[in-house]
Amino acid sequence: MREISHSCACSSATLLQIEDSSEANRAAVAAESEEQPAKKVPFFPKRGQELELVCESLAFKGQGVCKVLETGYVVMCDRALPGERLIARITKRKGSYAEALKLRTIVTHDNAVTPPCKYAESCGGCRTQNLSYEAQLAAKEDQVHQLISRVGRFGRSEESGSGSYLKPIFPCANQYHYRNKMEFSFGTRWLPPNEFVKNQSPDIKEDFALGLHVPGSYDKILDIRECLLQHDVANQILLDVHTFCETHRNDLSAYDTKTHSGFLRHLTLRSGHDEHTGKLQVMVNIVTSVHHPRMIKPLIEKLVTYSEVTSIVNNVTSSMANTGVGEKQYLLYGAPAITERLRGLVFEISANSFFQTNTSQAEVLYEVVEKACNLTEASSEMNMLDLFCGTGTIGLSMANKVNHVYGYELVQEAVANARRNANRNNILNATFIQGDLNKLTSGFGGNFPRPDIIITDPNRPGMHPKLLQFILKSGAARVVYVSCNPATCARDLDVLCHSKDGSDLAGGYRLLSVQPIDMFPHTPHVECVCALELSN
């Protein structure tokens, strides 16, 4: 991740060169500086210094945009919420702003609620659970607006009318139990501050934990027995696995990321529904450092007593990286995949394939994508290019309204799933191609016709410059950009819509709309669907 200018009054050109969260933070700092000019008092906080702050808004990724009252200096602080006065310790200074760790609250934030999860204060997953849902939605919508207007250089959107490109955010009907996939890690236990025993070190560890990583740490695991974001049955399975493995921890050792020793690495729980009966299906994926089925056989015998468990797989990885994807995979029980219905189609979900994590809200997302494609009767003669297609869910859901869908995806297993999904749903006008969209060659585009409609759904880093140039050269009448990171999305939209340096290969499209969608309540993540049309 690159970092450049340290000027607080960041220009649009400067912001464009910064990626991901730094880009979003710089935009937040610039917004605070322009809308409420800081007092002209020199201030240079030091690492470790404790300061009183007031939080004024939320930035992308859920950090609070705070100010030092006496100077107006901007500090980005995790878990700080709008309206809150707090004490925080500076952890890093980046010139134009600093980052800090929240220590305690002096005055509570606006729209405060009591989080129902007992792990909310320590877990990094639901960091805005103590903010009312209405306030969460408002903050996410504002984050998208700030980034598109400043980083994307589209200016502020009008509240309504023909000049308004930003649409009101779509809320999520279910704020809890909405995730169909959760990955937990085995490791050594980290104790949060409220569990410290007198005279114990803050970094004390125990020899077993199954839970989630402590924010910002690769080796500390917050031991949990329940996550309110997943299904109740998945929580019961998590509890049983936890109890069994902890009881047998002398034989089933937890993996240590520092010494790279130990057997159990991850537990991934995925849920779907039987395509015929609609009954809940659960896939249990146990990730280990070596293949040793006899060691986990007693655990498997316990798991198969659940009628909902229809698949148990063992991913094996020797990688030192913290990954839940194995180099080899073994089926231990049941079927190699589960299924889920989405927009009237049945999709196959294997252990390592991508599928939208919030199934019910994915229905909303795909309806928005289809509307952004502006499909008409004439679309039946058009070709659709589905970039970063995963298991083909978006393209296949619209295949009956276009001439042909061409999907492009890096992960071979996902491509295989997409092809099986097409066959399962008797869709004959869909072709899926395996390839790396971040390493385009001059021959890219030779194995499919010129697209009339392009849907692109990149991961967090956004699109490679070569792929952006391909889209600009394609002449596609409509481009729909589905983004999980509004910072890199704004950067890419700027290239697609605004000419720079007299280049003929920039600014070929006009932004029609940006639709934020809350896919993951209580987290800082927000999805958005952007509709573009060819200018000429």
Side-chain angles (χ1 to χ4, degrees), residues 7 25 45 59 88 91 95 106-107 153 175 181 199 314 345 480 489 508:
S7 169
N25 286 347
T91 58
I106 301 174
V107 179
R153 300 193 302 165
Q175 280 101 58
K181 177 186 177 184
N199 298 326
N314 175 205
L345 302 178
V480 178
C489 174

Side-chain angles (χ1 to χ4, degrees), residues 68-219:
V68 180
L69 287 178
E70 296 80 5
T71 66
Y73 187 86
V74 178
V75 178
M76 310 298 292
C77 183
D78 276 337
R79 300 186 182 278
L81 297 172
E84 181 179 10
R85 290 179 66 124
L86 64 148
I87 301 295
R89 180 184 296 122
I90 300 297
T91 58
K92 187 182 297 185
R93 206 183 87 203
K94 295 192 173 183
S96 61
Y97 67 98
E99 294 183 356
L101 173 68
K102 177 180 171 180
L103 298 178
R104 63 184 182 275
T105 298
I106 301 174
V107 179
T108 190
H109 57 79
D110 301 335
N111 303 303
V113 296
T114 302
C117 177
K118 62 183 178 181
Y119 305 107
E121 289 301 314
S122 301
C123 175
C126 302
R127 61 179 65 187
T128 56
Q129 199 180 116
N130 55 347
L131 186 65
S132 73
Y133 187 56
E134 293 73 16
Q136 291 180 39
L137 292 174
K140 290 182 179 183
E141 183 177 304
D142 184 63
Q143 289 159 21
V144 172
H145 197 183
Q146 290 282 356
L147 289 163
I148 299 297
S149 65
R150 296 176 183 279
V151 178
R153 300 193 302 165
F154 291 96
R156 298 291 294 178
S157 175
E158 297 177 11
E159 292 187 5
S160 61
S162 59
S164 174
Y165 62 78
L166 184 73
K167 307 302 178 185
I169 189 170
F170 272 120
C172 184
N174 302 313
Q175 280 101 58
Y176 294 98
H177 306 297
Y178 59 79
R179 287 189 67 99
N180 57 39
K181 177 186 177 184
M182 286 290 296
E183 180 181 303
F184 303 96
S185 296
F186 291 94
T188 47
R189 184 177 302 177
W190 173 81
L191 294 178
N194 60 356
E195 292 186 18
F196 291 162
V197 179
K198 188 177 180 180
N199 298 326
Q200 283 186 329
S201 164
D203 288 325
I204 187 171
K205 294 181 179 180
E206 297 183 9
D207 62 351
F208 180 88
L210 173 58
L212 300 172
H213 283 271
V214 175
S217 176
Y218 74 95
D219 63 332

Side-chain angles (χ1 to χ4, degrees), residues 173-419:
N174 302 313
Q175 280 101 58
Y176 294 98
H177 306 297
Y178 59 79
R179 287 189 67 99
N180 57 39
K181 177 186 177 184
M182 286 290 296
E183 180 181 303
F184 303 96
S185 296
F186 291 94
T188 47
R189 184 177 302 177
W190 173 81
L191 294 178
N194 60 356
E195 292 186 18
F196 291 162
V197 179
K198 188 177 180 180
N199 298 326
Q200 283 186 329
S201 164
D203 288 325
I204 187 171
K205 294 181 179 180
E206 297 183 9
D207 62 351
F208 180 88
L210 173 58
L212 300 172
H213 283 271
V214 175
S217 176
Y218 74 95
D219 63 332
K220 295 179 180 179
I221 305 297
L222 176 68
D223 195 60
I224 70 169
R225 312 297 172 93
E226 176 187 36
C227 177
L228 297 184
L229 298 190
Q230 69 176 358
H231 197 282
D232 287 336
V233 173
N235 275 321
Q236 186 58 52
I237 293 172
L238 170 65
L239 179 60
D240 282 352
V241 172
H242 190 293
T243 302
F244 184 91
C245 293
E246 186 172 30
T247 302
H248 298 84
R249 63 182 180 272
N250 290 334
D251 300 316
L252 301 174
S253 57
Y255 189 79
D256 189 312
T257 54
K258 287 190 173 180
T259 63
H260 302 291
S261 61
F263 178 61
L264 297 172
R265 299 194 63 164
H266 301 283
L267 171 72
T268 301
L269 302 177
R270 304 192 75 154
S271 60
H273 293 85
D274 184 272
E275 60 179 300
H276 302 296
T277 65
K279 180 184 175 182
L280 179 69
Q281 296 179 322
V282 177
M283 170 185 280
V284 180
N285 179 11
I286 303 169
V287 184
T288 59
S289 57
V290 294
H291 181 51
H292 205 322
R294 291 185 62 183
M295 289 179 65
I296 55 176
K297 184 179 179 181
L299 175 59
I300 305 307
E301 292 173 346
K302 185 176 184 63
L303 291 173
V304 298
T305 62
Y306 283 88
S307 61
E308 296 88 353
V309 173
T310 59
S311 175
I312 303 177
V313 297
N314 175 205
N315 268 248
V316 179
T317 177
S318 60
S319 172
M320 292 186 179
N322 186 31
T323 176
V325 178
E327 297 146 0
K328 292 184 179 181
Q329 179 176 301
Y330 302 89
L331 179 65
L332 304 181
Y333 171 80
I338 56 177
T339 58
E340 185 60 280
R341 281 194 170 273
L342 188 58
R343 301 202 78 202
L345 302 178
V346 178
F347 292 96
E348 182 178 296
I349 308 169
S350 59
N352 299 322
S353 64
F354 172 79
F355 190 79
Q356 285 290 345
T357 314
N358 185 341
T359 306
S360 61
Q361 195 70 340
E363 293 272 358
V364 176
L365 173 68
Y366 291 177
E367 288 176 12
V368 172
V369 173
E370 181 171 325
K371 183 178 179 180
C373 287
N374 194 33
L375 301 180
T376 64
E377 291 185 6
S379 301
S380 62
E381 303 298 322
M382 295 182 177
N383 293 313
M384 175 181 286
L385 179 59
D386 186 5
L387 301 173
F388 308 93
C389 67
T391 56
T393 50
I394 293 180
L396 290 175
S397 71
M398 290 181 275
N400 64 335
K401 298 183 179 180
V402 297
N403 176 54
H404 203 96
V405 173
Y406 294 88
Y408 219 92
E409 168 62 38
L410 171 63
V411 181
Q412 184 61 59
E413 184 178 355
V415 173
N417 279 345
R419 292 168 180 165

